[in-house]
Amino acid sequence: MVASSLAEQDALDLTPLADCSNCAYRDTLLAIGTCKPGDRCVVAESGRQIDRFFKAHPVYALNYTQDPFWERRAIAAQYLPTNHLRPLLTDPDEAVRRVLAYRVPLDWLLELSKDSDREVRVTVADRLPEAQLELMANDPDYLVRAYVAKRLPKGRLFRLVADSDTEVRRTVAERIPSVSLGLMANDQEVNIRRIVAQRMEVDDLAMMSADEDWTVRYEVALRAEPELLKQMLDDADEEVSLTARQRLDALAMEATHAAA
């Protein structure tokens, strides 16, 4: 029974095994046991084995920058000295270029900012120095622009206030200086207008007190000054008018106590 079970396990073992007979390392690394078929092997088409090989022998990564197998090039790129990465900036496989986007010096990143692969550009947007980040604000992919919106200096977010993507505009609404939020007071998304009403300067809230959505007007009522609250007492929504009344009363009480 035990022998049968072991035989079944061997039959199910799909670990790739390379042919060592013609391997360039047969008489060196293999002979001294620092590479091992099925475990640490650069010849097998197995990412795990290739990675273990380069982890043990990073110096050999230089020999595989032009290898025909994309995964071997991508893993080799993880172990290459930085000054040997430039030839791979135009590698035909996006997996290789994704590795480079994480590893290249910051002053090389602009060379990858127009890459055809979105993941490469996302990584670039996540690493690019702030002074250059605005160059990616018009990227065709919303996810790249979202990363730009998260990192761009707050005073330079104006160009994204009318972005076509909701998540990009939401990030802008959460980060843009409060004095500039009036630019987003008429955003088409209710959730974004609510953020605007929660953050904008109190003196600017009047422009949102007649918003078509009651939840936006409710946010206004939670922060408005007495003069604006009086105008909202007759709001069409009961929750909004009640909130305006309660805040007016609370503010009046505070004023009375302060005078006393």
Side-chain angles (χ1 to χ4, degrees):
M1 182 71 72
V2 174
S4 174
S5 177
L6 291 174
E8 289 176 1
Q9 290 179 17
D10 289 341
L12 293 173
D13 188 357
L14 302 177
T15 302
L17 290 175
D19 181 3
C20 299
S21 60
N22 296 314
C23 179
Y25 307 113
R26 182 186 60 182
D27 298 326
T28 53
L29 303 182
L30 182 63
I32 62 176
T34 58
C35 66
K36 179 182 178 182
D39 181 43
R40 287 191 307 276
C41 179
V42 74
V43 179
E45 293 200 350
S46 162
R48 182 177 299 177
Q49 294 184 49
I50 294 169
D51 184 65
R52 287 174 177 167
F53 177 89
F54 286 131
K55 189 174 294 183
H57 310 288
V59 68
Y60 290 106
L62 286 167
N63 299 333
Y64 295 92
T65 59
Q66 302 301 315
D67 193 90
F69 183 37
W70 67 268
E71 191 169 13
R72 199 171 286 118
R73 297 196 308 276
I75 298 172
Q78 298 176 33
Y79 294 92
L80 284 172
T82 303
N83 61 336
H84 287 276
L85 290 174
R86 183 169 288 283
L88 292 173
L89 285 171
T90 56
D91 191 279
D93 195 278
E94 65 272 14
V96 179
R97 302 194 306 276
R98 288 174 186 175
V99 173
L100 265 65
Y102 280 106
R103 293 206 58 214
V104 297
L106 296 181
D107 56 357
W108 295 13
L109 282 174
L110 278 182
E111 298 179 52
L112 290 170
S113 65
K114 302 292 185 182
D115 195 275
S116 59
D117 181 70
R118 86 183 302 199
E119 294 301 322
V120 171
R121 300 198 311 278
V122 163
T123 303
V124 171
D126 196 37
R127 294 189 62 212
L128 202 64
E130 284 187 355
Q132 299 173 314
L133 194 56
E134 198 167 357
L135 296 173
M136 300 190 74
N138 292 324
D139 192 278
D141 193 286
Y142 83 93
L143 190 57
V144 177
R145 299 196 308 276
Y147 271 81
V148 171
K150 289 176 183 176
R151 297 191 55 234
L152 201 64
K154 295 178 181 181
R156 293 163 61 187
L157 285 168
F158 301 100
R159 64 183 304 164
L160 292 172
V161 297
D163 192 272
S164 60
D165 184 78
T166 301
E167 289 306 311
V168 174
R169 298 198 312 279
R170 185 194 307 277
T171 299
V172 173
E174 291 171 345
R175 296 192 62 232
I176 197 169
S178 59
V179 294
S180 302
L181 279 167
L183 296 171
M184 304 187 77
N186 296 312
D187 193 277
Q188 63 189 26
E189 291 292 328
V190 172
N191 289 338
I192 291 177
R193 298 202 304 276
R194 274 204 293 267
I195 295 172
V196 172
Q198 291 166 0
R199 293 193 59 234
M200 77 186 323
E201 298 290 307
V202 172
D203 291 343
D204 295 332
L205 283 173
M207 70 174 70
M208 304 196 76
S209 62
D211 191 278
E212 63 183 25
D213 190 276
W214 75 268
T215 62
V216 176
R217 302 195 306 275
Y218 175 77
E219 295 293 344
V220 172
L222 288 175
R223 303 180 59 230
E225 296 286 6
E227 286 305 311
L228 182 55
L229 288 172
K230 291 175 184 177
Q231 298 174 32
M232 301 182 74
L233 291 176
D234 296 324
D235 191 276
D237 185 88
E238 183 179 348
E239 189 71 23
V240 175
S241 60
L242 177 61
T243 300
R245 168 58 62 191
Q246 290 175 337
R247 285 209 64 239
L248 263 178
D249 292 345
L251 290 172
M253 187 174 297
E254 289 177 10
T256 299
H257 287 163

